[in-house]
Short mmCIF file of all heavy atoms in Angstrom, two decimals:
data_model
loop_
_atom_site.label_atom_id
_atom_site.label_comp_id
_atom_site.label_asym_id
_atom_site.label_seq_id
_atom_site.Cartn_x
_atom_site.Cartn_y
_atom_site.Cartn_z
N MET B 704 0.85 -1.23 0.01
CA MET B 704 0.01 -0.02 0.01
C MET B 704 0.90 1.23 -0.03
O MET B 704 1.88 1.29 0.69
CB MET B 704 -0.85 -0.02 1.26
CG MET B 704 -1.90 1.11 1.22
SD MET B 704 -2.97 1.01 2.71
CE MET B 704 -4.03 -0.40 2.23
N ILE B 705 0.48 2.27 -0.79
CA ILE B 705 1.29 3.43 -0.87
C ILE B 705 0.57 4.59 -0.11
O ILE B 705 -0.61 4.84 -0.27
CB ILE B 705 1.44 3.90 -2.28
CG1 ILE B 705 2.26 2.85 -3.05
CG2 ILE B 705 2.21 5.23 -2.38
CD1 ILE B 705 2.30 3.05 -4.58
N PHE B 706 1.29 5.11 0.84
CA PHE B 706 0.74 6.27 1.60
C PHE B 706 1.29 7.58 1.01
O PHE B 706 2.47 7.65 0.70
CB PHE B 706 1.17 6.13 3.08
CG PHE B 706 0.52 5.07 3.77
CD1 PHE B 706 1.17 3.83 3.94
CD2 PHE B 706 -0.79 5.16 4.30
CE1 PHE B 706 0.57 2.81 4.59
CE2 PHE B 706 -1.41 4.14 4.93
CZ PHE B 706 -0.74 2.92 5.08
N ILE B 707 0.38 8.46 0.81
CA ILE B 707 0.79 9.78 0.35
C ILE B 707 0.78 10.79 1.49
O ILE B 707 -0.28 11.03 2.07
CB ILE B 707 -0.03 10.29 -0.83
CG1 ILE B 707 0.12 9.33 -2.03
CG2 ILE B 707 0.36 11.71 -1.20
CD1 ILE B 707 -0.82 9.63 -3.16
N ASP B 708 1.90 11.29 1.85
CA ASP B 708 2.01 12.24 2.97
C ASP B 708 1.86 13.68 2.43
O ASP B 708 2.75 14.20 1.78
CB ASP B 708 3.41 12.08 3.62
CG ASP B 708 3.48 12.99 4.84
OD1 ASP B 708 2.64 13.87 5.01
OD2 ASP B 708 4.45 12.81 5.63
N VAL B 709 0.69 14.24 2.63
CA VAL B 709 0.38 15.56 2.12
C VAL B 709 1.36 16.57 2.69
O VAL B 709 1.86 17.43 2.01
CB VAL B 709 -1.02 15.98 2.45
CG1 VAL B 709 -1.30 17.47 1.95
CG2 VAL B 709 -2.03 15.07 1.70
N LYS B 710 1.57 16.44 4.01
CA LYS B 710 2.48 17.34 4.65
C LYS B 710 3.93 17.22 4.08
O LYS B 710 4.61 18.18 3.85
CB LYS B 710 2.54 17.02 6.14
CG LYS B 710 2.72 18.19 7.07
CD LYS B 710 2.57 17.80 8.46
CE LYS B 710 2.87 18.91 9.41
NZ LYS B 710 2.92 18.48 10.78
N GLY B 711 4.27 16.00 3.77
CA GLY B 711 5.57 15.77 3.21
C GLY B 711 5.72 16.38 1.81
O GLY B 711 6.77 16.90 1.44
N GLU B 712 4.63 16.30 1.07
CA GLU B 712 4.67 16.90 -0.27
C GLU B 712 4.94 18.42 -0.20
O GLU B 712 5.67 19.00 -0.95
CB GLU B 712 3.36 16.66 -1.04
CG GLU B 712 3.28 15.24 -1.54
CD GLU B 712 2.01 15.03 -2.34
OE1 GLU B 712 1.12 15.93 -2.33
OE2 GLU B 712 1.90 13.92 -2.95
N GLU B 713 4.32 19.02 0.79
CA GLU B 713 4.50 20.47 0.98
C GLU B 713 5.93 20.76 1.27
O GLU B 713 6.46 21.83 0.99
CB GLU B 713 3.64 20.99 2.11
CG GLU B 713 2.21 21.07 1.77
CD GLU B 713 1.32 21.49 2.93
OE1 GLU B 713 1.85 21.60 4.04
OE2 GLU B 713 0.11 21.64 2.75
N LYS B 714 6.59 19.82 1.88
CA LYS B 714 7.97 20.06 2.27
C LYS B 714 8.95 19.54 1.20
O LYS B 714 10.10 19.40 1.45
CB LYS B 714 8.27 19.35 3.60
CG LYS B 714 7.53 19.88 4.77
CD LYS B 714 7.75 19.02 5.95
CE LYS B 714 6.82 19.39 7.11
NZ LYS B 714 6.80 18.37 8.08
N GLY B 715 8.40 19.18 0.07
CA GLY B 715 9.30 18.74 -0.99
C GLY B 715 9.72 17.31 -0.85
O GLY B 715 10.83 16.99 -1.22
N GLY B 716 8.84 16.49 -0.33
CA GLY B 716 9.17 15.09 -0.30
C GLY B 716 9.26 14.53 1.09
O GLY B 716 9.44 13.30 1.28
N GLY B 717 9.18 15.38 2.07
CA GLY B 717 9.16 14.93 3.47
C GLY B 717 10.59 14.73 4.05
O GLY B 717 10.70 14.35 5.16
N THR B 718 11.63 15.01 3.30
CA THR B 718 12.94 14.91 3.86
C THR B 718 13.48 16.33 4.19
O THR B 718 13.11 17.26 3.52
CB THR B 718 13.91 14.23 2.85
OG1 THR B 718 13.91 14.99 1.68
CG2 THR B 718 13.55 12.80 2.62
N VAL B 719 14.32 16.40 5.15
CA VAL B 719 14.87 17.70 5.49
C VAL B 719 16.10 17.92 4.58
O VAL B 719 17.09 17.23 4.73
CB VAL B 719 15.33 17.73 6.96
CG1 VAL B 719 15.98 19.08 7.30
CG2 VAL B 719 14.10 17.49 7.86
N ALA B 720 15.98 18.85 3.68
CA ALA B 720 17.07 19.07 2.73
C ALA B 720 18.20 19.93 3.30
O ALA B 720 19.34 19.89 2.85
CB ALA B 720 16.55 19.70 1.48
N PHE B 721 17.83 20.72 4.34
CA PHE B 721 18.84 21.56 4.94
C PHE B 721 19.19 21.00 6.31
O PHE B 721 18.37 20.53 7.01
CB PHE B 721 18.28 23.01 5.07
CG PHE B 721 18.19 23.70 3.78
CD1 PHE B 721 17.04 23.60 3.02
CD2 PHE B 721 19.23 24.50 3.30
CE1 PHE B 721 16.95 24.27 1.78
CE2 PHE B 721 19.17 25.17 2.08
CZ PHE B 721 18.02 25.01 1.34
N ARG B 722 20.47 21.12 6.59
CA ARG B 722 20.90 20.71 7.96
C ARG B 722 22.03 21.60 8.44
O ARG B 722 22.65 22.34 7.66
CB ARG B 722 21.38 19.28 7.97
CG ARG B 722 22.70 19.02 7.27
CD ARG B 722 23.07 17.55 7.31
NE ARG B 722 24.27 17.33 6.55
CZ ARG B 722 25.49 17.40 7.04
NH1 ARG B 722 25.66 17.63 8.32
NH2 ARG B 722 26.58 17.18 6.27
N ILE B 723 22.22 21.62 9.70
CA ILE B 723 23.24 22.47 10.32
C ILE B 723 24.41 21.60 10.75
O ILE B 723 24.27 20.61 11.44
CB ILE B 723 22.62 23.20 11.57
CG1 ILE B 723 21.61 24.19 11.06
CG2 ILE B 723 23.76 23.91 12.35
CD1 ILE B 723 20.83 24.87 12.15
N THR B 724 25.60 22.00 10.29
CA THR B 724 26.80 21.20 10.53
C THR B 724 27.45 21.62 11.82
O THR B 724 27.02 22.54 12.53
CB THR B 724 27.84 21.37 9.40
OG1 THR B 724 28.37 22.69 9.47
CG2 THR B 724 27.15 21.16 8.06
N GLU B 725 28.59 20.96 12.16
CA GLU B 725 29.30 21.29 13.40
C GLU B 725 30.00 22.63 13.35
O GLU B 725 30.59 23.04 14.35
CB GLU B 725 30.31 20.15 13.63
CG GLU B 725 29.67 18.84 14.02
CD GLU B 725 30.72 17.71 14.23
OE1 GLU B 725 31.85 17.91 13.93
OE2 GLU B 725 30.28 16.65 14.67
N GLU B 726 29.89 23.29 12.18
CA GLU B 726 30.48 24.62 12.08
C GLU B 726 29.63 25.63 12.87
O GLU B 726 30.04 26.79 13.10
CB GLU B 726 30.52 25.07 10.58
CG GLU B 726 31.39 24.23 9.70
CD GLU B 726 32.85 24.20 10.10
OE1 GLU B 726 33.35 25.37 10.35
OE2 GLU B 726 33.44 23.18 10.32
N CYS B 727 28.49 25.24 13.27
CA CYS B 727 27.56 26.10 14.02
C CYS B 727 28.23 26.56 15.30
O CYS B 727 28.75 25.79 16.10
CB CYS B 727 26.30 25.33 14.35
SG CYS B 727 25.15 26.28 15.40
N ILE B 728 28.12 27.90 15.55
CA ILE B 728 28.68 28.49 16.83
C ILE B 728 27.53 28.88 17.74
O ILE B 728 27.75 29.65 18.68
CB ILE B 728 29.61 29.65 16.51
CG1 ILE B 728 28.88 30.75 15.69
CG2 ILE B 728 30.87 29.19 15.80
CD1 ILE B 728 29.65 32.01 15.52
N ALA B 729 26.33 28.45 17.41
CA ALA B 729 25.16 28.71 18.27
C ALA B 729 24.93 30.23 18.46
O ALA B 729 24.55 30.62 19.55
CB ALA B 729 25.21 28.00 19.58
N CYS B 730 25.09 31.02 17.39
CA CYS B 730 24.90 32.44 17.53
C CYS B 730 23.47 32.87 17.50
O CYS B 730 23.10 33.92 18.03
CB CYS B 730 25.64 33.14 16.38
SG CYS B 730 24.90 32.92 14.80
N GLY B 731 22.57 32.00 16.96
CA GLY B 731 21.19 32.33 16.94
C GLY B 731 20.67 33.18 15.75
O GLY B 731 19.53 33.39 15.67
N SER B 732 21.59 33.61 14.89
CA SER B 732 21.16 34.47 13.82
C SER B 732 20.15 33.82 12.88
O SER B 732 19.32 34.52 12.27
CB SER B 732 22.41 34.85 12.93
OG SER B 732 23.33 35.58 13.71
N CYS B 733 20.22 32.51 12.75
CA CYS B 733 19.30 31.84 11.79
C CYS B 733 17.86 31.77 12.36
O CYS B 733 16.91 31.59 11.57
CB CYS B 733 19.85 30.50 11.48
SG CYS B 733 20.14 29.45 12.93
N LEU B 734 17.72 31.79 13.67
CA LEU B 734 16.43 31.62 14.24
C LEU B 734 15.34 32.60 13.66
O LEU B 734 14.26 32.13 13.28
CB LEU B 734 16.47 31.83 15.76
CG LEU B 734 17.12 30.73 16.59
CD1 LEU B 734 17.06 31.08 18.08
CD2 LEU B 734 16.43 29.39 16.39
N ASP B 735 15.65 33.85 13.61
CA ASP B 735 14.67 34.84 13.14
C ASP B 735 14.47 34.74 11.69
O ASP B 735 13.49 35.28 11.12
CB ASP B 735 15.17 36.25 13.52
CG ASP B 735 14.97 36.52 15.03
OD1 ASP B 735 14.21 35.79 15.65
OD2 ASP B 735 15.63 37.44 15.52
N ALA B 736 15.41 34.15 10.96
CA ALA B 736 15.30 34.05 9.51
C ALA B 736 14.33 33.03 9.07
O ALA B 736 13.79 33.05 7.97
CB ALA B 736 16.69 33.75 8.92
N CYS B 737 14.01 32.11 9.92
CA CYS B 737 13.14 31.01 9.58
C CYS B 737 11.67 31.39 9.76
O CYS B 737 11.23 31.64 10.86
CB CYS B 737 13.46 29.78 10.38
SG CYS B 737 12.44 28.36 9.89
N PRO B 738 10.88 31.38 8.67
CA PRO B 738 9.48 31.75 8.73
C PRO B 738 8.58 30.73 9.42
O PRO B 738 7.44 31.02 9.76
CB PRO B 738 9.10 31.95 7.27
CG PRO B 738 10.00 31.07 6.53
CD PRO B 738 11.31 31.06 7.31
N VAL B 739 9.05 29.51 9.59
CA VAL B 739 8.21 28.45 10.18
C VAL B 739 8.80 27.92 11.46
O VAL B 739 8.42 26.83 11.91
CB VAL B 739 8.00 27.30 9.15
CG1 VAL B 739 7.17 27.79 7.95
CG2 VAL B 739 9.31 26.70 8.69
N ASP B 740 9.76 28.65 12.05
CA ASP B 740 10.35 28.19 13.33
C ASP B 740 10.88 26.74 13.31
O ASP B 740 10.66 25.99 14.24
CB ASP B 740 9.33 28.34 14.47
CG ASP B 740 9.12 29.78 14.83
OD1 ASP B 740 9.99 30.57 14.60
OD2 ASP B 740 7.99 30.11 15.35
N ALA B 741 11.56 26.44 12.23
CA ALA B 741 12.02 25.03 12.08
C ALA B 741 13.44 24.85 12.64
O ALA B 741 13.96 23.75 12.64
CB ALA B 741 12.04 24.65 10.59
N ILE B 742 14.02 25.95 13.13
CA ILE B 742 15.38 25.82 13.66
C ILE B 742 15.27 25.81 15.17
O ILE B 742 14.68 26.66 15.81
CB ILE B 742 16.27 27.04 13.19
CG1 ILE B 742 16.30 27.01 11.68
CG2 ILE B 742 17.66 26.93 13.78
CD1 ILE B 742 17.06 28.19 11.05
N LYS B 743 15.94 24.79 15.76
CA LYS B 743 15.87 24.65 17.22
C LYS B 743 17.24 24.74 17.82
O LYS B 743 18.25 24.31 17.25
CB LYS B 743 15.29 23.30 17.53
CG LYS B 743 13.87 23.07 17.05
CD LYS B 743 12.89 24.04 17.76
CE LYS B 743 11.49 23.92 17.13
NZ LYS B 743 10.74 25.18 17.22
N GLU B 744 17.29 25.35 19.01
CA GLU B 744 18.52 25.45 19.75
C GLU B 744 18.84 24.11 20.33
O GLU B 744 17.99 23.33 20.82
CB GLU B 744 18.21 26.37 20.93
CG GLU B 744 19.36 27.35 21.22
CD GLU B 744 18.97 28.37 22.21
OE1 GLU B 744 17.86 28.91 22.14
OE2 GLU B 744 19.80 28.56 23.14
N GLY B 745 20.17 23.74 20.26
CA GLY B 745 20.56 22.48 20.85
C GLY B 745 21.61 22.76 21.91
O GLY B 745 21.81 23.90 22.26
N GLU B 746 22.14 21.73 22.48
CA GLU B 746 23.16 21.90 23.56
C GLU B 746 24.39 22.55 23.06
O GLU B 746 24.97 23.46 23.67
CB GLU B 746 23.46 20.54 24.22
CG GLU B 746 22.39 20.14 25.20
CD GLU B 746 22.78 18.87 25.99
OE1 GLU B 746 23.98 18.64 26.11
OE2 GLU B 746 21.87 18.23 26.53
N GLU B 747 24.87 22.10 21.89
CA GLU B 747 26.07 22.68 21.34
C GLU B 747 25.80 23.35 19.96
O GLU B 747 26.31 24.46 19.71
CB GLU B 747 27.14 21.58 21.18
CG GLU B 747 27.63 21.15 22.56
CD GLU B 747 28.73 20.08 22.44
OE1 GLU B 747 29.22 19.86 21.33
OE2 GLU B 747 29.09 19.53 23.48
N ILE B 748 25.09 22.68 19.17
CA ILE B 748 24.81 23.31 17.83
C ILE B 748 23.26 23.28 17.64
O ILE B 748 22.53 22.54 18.28
CB ILE B 748 25.48 22.57 16.68
CG1 ILE B 748 24.93 21.15 16.52
CG2 ILE B 748 27.00 22.57 16.83
CD1 ILE B 748 25.46 20.41 15.29
N PHE B 749 22.85 24.15 16.77
CA PHE B 749 21.45 24.22 16.46
C PHE B 749 21.04 23.12 15.48
O PHE B 749 21.94 22.53 14.84
CB PHE B 749 21.07 25.58 15.83
CG PHE B 749 21.02 26.70 16.87
CD1 PHE B 749 21.91 26.80 17.92
CD2 PHE B 749 20.05 27.70 16.74
CE1 PHE B 749 21.86 27.83 18.87
CE2 PHE B 749 19.99 28.77 17.66
CZ PHE B 749 20.86 28.81 18.73
N SER B 750 19.79 22.90 15.28
CA SER B 750 19.39 21.88 14.32
C SER B 750 18.13 22.32 13.59
O SER B 750 17.40 23.21 14.03
CB SER B 750 19.12 20.57 15.02
OG SER B 750 18.09 20.69 15.96
N ILE B 751 17.87 21.70 12.46
CA ILE B 751 16.69 22.00 11.63
C ILE B 751 15.71 20.83 11.75
O ILE B 751 16.11 19.67 11.52
CB ILE B 751 17.11 22.29 10.19
CG1 ILE B 751 17.97 23.55 10.13
CG2 ILE B 751 15.90 22.41 9.29
CD1 ILE B 751 18.49 23.87 8.82
N THR B 752 14.49 21.11 12.07
CA THR B 752 13.46 20.07 12.25
C THR B 752 12.82 19.77 10.90
O THR B 752 13.00 20.43 9.93
CB THR B 752 12.45 20.45 13.29
OG1 THR B 752 11.61 21.47 12.69
CG2 THR B 752 13.13 21.06 14.55
N GLU B 753 11.90 18.79 11.00
CA GLU B 753 11.20 18.40 9.80
C GLU B 753 10.14 19.40 9.39
O GLU B 753 9.51 19.28 8.34
CB GLU B 753 10.57 17.01 9.98
CG GLU B 753 9.59 16.97 11.13
CD GLU B 753 9.00 15.54 11.33
OE1 GLU B 753 9.59 14.60 10.85
OE2 GLU B 753 7.92 15.43 11.98
N ASP B 754 9.98 20.49 10.18
CA ASP B 754 9.05 21.53 9.75
C ASP B 754 9.67 22.45 8.70
O ASP B 754 8.99 23.24 8.10
CB ASP B 754 8.76 22.43 10.97
CG ASP B 754 7.89 21.75 11.99
OD1 ASP B 754 7.16 20.81 11.59
OD2 ASP B 754 7.92 22.08 13.18
N CYS B 755 10.93 22.23 8.39
CA CYS B 755 11.60 23.00 7.36
C CYS B 755 10.90 22.88 6.02
O CYS B 755 10.62 21.82 5.55
CB CYS B 755 13.03 22.50 7.22
SG CYS B 755 13.96 23.29 5.89
N THR B 756 10.65 24.04 5.39
CA THR B 756 9.96 24.06 4.04
C THR B 756 11.01 24.24 2.95
O THR B 756 10.65 24.44 1.79
CB THR B 756 8.96 25.22 4.02
OG1 THR B 756 9.61 26.41 4.23
CG2 THR B 756 7.86 24.95 5.05
N GLU B 757 12.30 24.22 3.30
CA GLU B 757 13.37 24.31 2.33
C GLU B 757 13.35 25.63 1.62
O GLU B 757 13.66 25.72 0.43
CB GLU B 757 13.27 23.14 1.38
CG GLU B 757 13.39 21.78 2.07
CD GLU B 757 13.10 20.64 1.13
OE1 GLU B 757 13.21 20.78 -0.08
OE2 GLU B 757 12.77 19.55 1.66
N CYS B 758 13.02 26.69 2.32
CA CYS B 758 12.97 28.01 1.65
C CYS B 758 14.33 28.59 1.46
O CYS B 758 14.55 29.43 0.56
CB CYS B 758 12.10 28.99 2.48
SG CYS B 758 12.90 29.52 4.00
N GLY B 759 15.31 28.20 2.26
CA GLY B 759 16.65 28.64 2.10
C GLY B 759 17.00 29.98 2.79
O GLY B 759 18.12 30.42 2.71
N SER B 760 16.00 30.60 3.42
CA SER B 760 16.21 31.90 4.06
C SER B 760 17.35 31.93 5.09
O SER B 760 18.01 32.90 5.30
CB SER B 760 14.92 32.38 4.72
OG SER B 760 13.92 32.49 3.78
N CYS B 761 17.50 30.84 5.79
CA CYS B 761 18.42 30.81 6.91
C CYS B 761 19.91 30.73 6.39
O CYS B 761 20.81 31.17 7.10
CB CYS B 761 18.17 29.64 7.81
SG CYS B 761 18.17 28.01 6.94
N VAL B 762 20.11 30.22 5.20
CA VAL B 762 21.45 29.95 4.76
C VAL B 762 22.37 31.17 4.75
O VAL B 762 23.48 31.13 5.32
CB VAL B 762 21.45 29.30 3.36
CG1 VAL B 762 22.87 29.11 2.83
CG2 VAL B 762 20.69 27.99 3.38
N ASP B 763 21.86 32.26 4.25
CA ASP B 763 22.73 33.45 4.17
C ASP B 763 22.91 34.15 5.50
O ASP B 763 23.74 35.03 5.61
CB ASP B 763 22.13 34.46 3.17
CG ASP B 763 22.28 33.94 1.74
OD1 ASP B 763 23.14 33.10 1.49
OD2 ASP B 763 21.50 34.45 0.84
N GLU B 764 22.09 33.79 6.49
CA GLU B 764 22.18 34.40 7.83
C GLU B 764 23.36 33.89 8.64
O GLU B 764 23.78 34.48 9.59
CB GLU B 764 20.93 34.23 8.56
CG GLU B 764 19.72 34.87 7.98
CD GLU B 764 19.82 36.42 7.85
OE1 GLU B 764 20.40 37.01 8.72
OE2 GLU B 764 19.39 36.98 6.83
N CYS B 765 23.85 32.73 8.24
CA CYS B 765 24.84 32.04 9.09
C CYS B 765 26.27 32.56 8.79
O CYS B 765 26.74 32.43 7.69
CB CYS B 765 24.77 30.55 8.79
SG CYS B 765 25.92 29.63 9.88
N PRO B 766 26.90 33.10 9.85
CA PRO B 766 28.24 33.63 9.70
C PRO B 766 29.30 32.59 9.45
O PRO B 766 30.39 32.89 9.02
CB PRO B 766 28.48 34.33 11.00
CG PRO B 766 27.62 33.62 12.00
CD PRO B 766 26.40 33.24 11.21
N THR B 767 28.99 31.33 9.77
CA THR B 767 30.02 30.30 9.63
C THR B 767 29.69 29.33 8.49
O THR B 767 30.28 28.24 8.39
CB THR B 767 30.24 29.50 10.94
OG1 THR B 767 28.96 28.87 11.25
CG2 THR B 767 30.62 30.43 12.06
N ASP B 768 28.67 29.66 7.71
CA ASP B 768 28.24 28.77 6.65
C ASP B 768 27.91 27.32 7.13
O ASP B 768 28.28 26.36 6.50
CB ASP B 768 29.28 28.69 5.53
CG ASP B 768 29.40 30.03 4.73
OD1 ASP B 768 28.38 30.76 4.69
OD2 ASP B 768 30.51 30.34 4.31
N ALA B 769 27.29 27.27 8.31
CA ALA B 769 27.01 25.99 8.92
C ALA B 769 25.75 25.32 8.36
O ALA B 769 25.52 24.18 8.64
CB ALA B 769 26.94 26.13 10.45
N ILE B 770 24.92 26.13 7.67
CA ILE B 770 23.72 25.59 7.16
C ILE B 770 23.93 25.14 5.74
O ILE B 770 24.24 25.94 4.84
CB ILE B 770 22.58 26.59 7.24
CG1 ILE B 770 22.41 27.11 8.67
CG2 ILE B 770 21.23 26.01 6.73
CD1 ILE B 770 21.44 28.23 8.84
N VAL B 771 23.77 23.87 5.50
CA VAL B 771 24.08 23.34 4.18
C VAL B 771 22.88 22.57 3.64
O VAL B 771 22.05 22.05 4.37
CB VAL B 771 25.31 22.39 4.23
CG1 VAL B 771 26.53 23.12 4.65
CG2 VAL B 771 25.04 21.20 5.16
N GLU B 772 22.84 22.55 2.33
CA GLU B 772 21.75 21.82 1.62
C GLU B 772 22.29 20.39 1.41
O GLU B 772 23.42 20.21 0.93
CB GLU B 772 21.39 22.49 0.35
CG GLU B 772 20.13 21.96 -0.28
CD GLU B 772 19.60 22.78 -1.43
OE1 GLU B 772 20.27 23.84 -1.73
OE2 GLU B 772 18.61 22.39 -2.04
N GLU B 773 21.46 19.45 1.72
CA GLU B 773 21.92 18.02 1.56
C GLU B 773 22.00 17.64 0.12
O GLU B 773 21.24 18.00 -0.69
CB GLU B 773 20.93 17.11 2.26
CG GLU B 773 20.90 17.36 3.73
CD GLU B 773 22.02 16.66 4.49
OE1 GLU B 773 23.19 17.09 4.30
OE2 GLU B 773 21.75 15.70 5.26
S1 SF4 G 1502 15.42 26.49 4.88
FE1 SF4 G 1502 13.77 27.96 5.45
S2 SF4 G 1502 12.26 26.69 6.48
FE2 SF4 G 1502 14.17 25.50 6.46
S3 SF4 G 1502 15.18 25.99 8.37
FE3 SF4 G 1502 15.99 27.42 6.82
S4 SF4 G 1502 14.68 29.28 7.00
FE4 SF4 G 1502 13.63 27.57 8.06
S1 SF4 G 1503 23.33 31.23 12.17
FE1 SF4 G 1503 24.74 29.45 11.84
S2 SF4 G 1503 26.20 29.58 13.57
FE2 SF4 G 1503 24.41 30.83 14.07
S3 SF4 G 1503 23.01 29.42 15.24
FE3 SF4 G 1503 22.40 29.37 13.08
S4 SF4 G 1503 23.50 27.64 12.19
FE4 SF4 G 1503 24.53 28.10 14.11
#
């Protein structure tokens, strides 16, 4: 049986295309750039949740180029 995830389609297939690497210095600049609050603070580095719509807005906000497209 094939399930169609409507939410996933909106996100471009349901996979998180953007992720934050260990280059993150937890500055928080990307938080305000995200229109859907998909970026979460972590203990050491931030992370991008599955709420990401792959808009790309956060990428240019990062001073260390820690946000990369998979
Ligand atoms: S790509 Fe867009 S939706 Fe995804 S985390 Fe960055 S700003 Fe948020
Ligand atoms: S802008 Fe870059 S360095 Fe700053 S918290 Fe976001 S991912 Fe980390």
